[in-house]
Amino acid sequence: MASTLLSIQVIPKTPNGENSYPYVDRAIEVIQQSGLKYQVNPLDTTMEGELEELLEIVRKMHEVLVEAGSPSIISQIKIAHSPTGFSMDTLTEKYR
């Protein structure tokens, strides 16, 4: 079981004020390529893993957005960490 859940909402500024959805899609691609368990939600994406690897994914997401032309990015991040483990399924099973 993973020790950490990390939810992230990226808010990339776009070069010419265009829609940011294509940029957000690129950020989500970084998560998809990581091989970690994740869930895309309407306002954020939650991932399961170890804290260090999740923070590395956040760094890569920012790099990809800058490479795509975003002049700045704001990310809102929530982290739940427990040495004994966390999972999205365990925390939400009573609601499903």
Side-chain angles (χ1 to χ4, degrees), residues 4-56:
T4 306
L5 297 178
L6 185 146
S7 291
I8 183 167
Q9 176 189 31
V10 293
I11 307 166
K13 186 174 183 179
T14 57
N16 300 306
E18 65 267 26
N19 190 314
S20 64
Y21 291 157
Y23 291 81
V24 173
D25 289 341
R26 287 185 180 215
I28 292 171
E29 286 174 7
V30 172
I31 296 169
Q32 292 170 326
Q33 293 168 359
S34 74
L36 294 178
K37 183 174 181 177
Y38 69 95
Q39 179 176 315
V40 177
N41 302 303
L43 299 176
D44 65 10
T45 299
T46 302
M47 302 177 275
E48 285 183 10
E50 300 307 316
L51 182 59
E52 297 79 18
E53 66 186 337
L54 296 172
L55 293 174
E56 178 64 15

Side-chain angles (χ1 to χ4, degrees), residues 23 26-27 30 59-70:
Y23 291 81
R26 287 185 180 215
V30 172
R59 185 189 64 74
K60 288 179 183 176
M61 292 169 73
H62 278 246
E63 283 182 357
V64 164
L65 292 172
V66 169
E67 289 169 6
S70 179

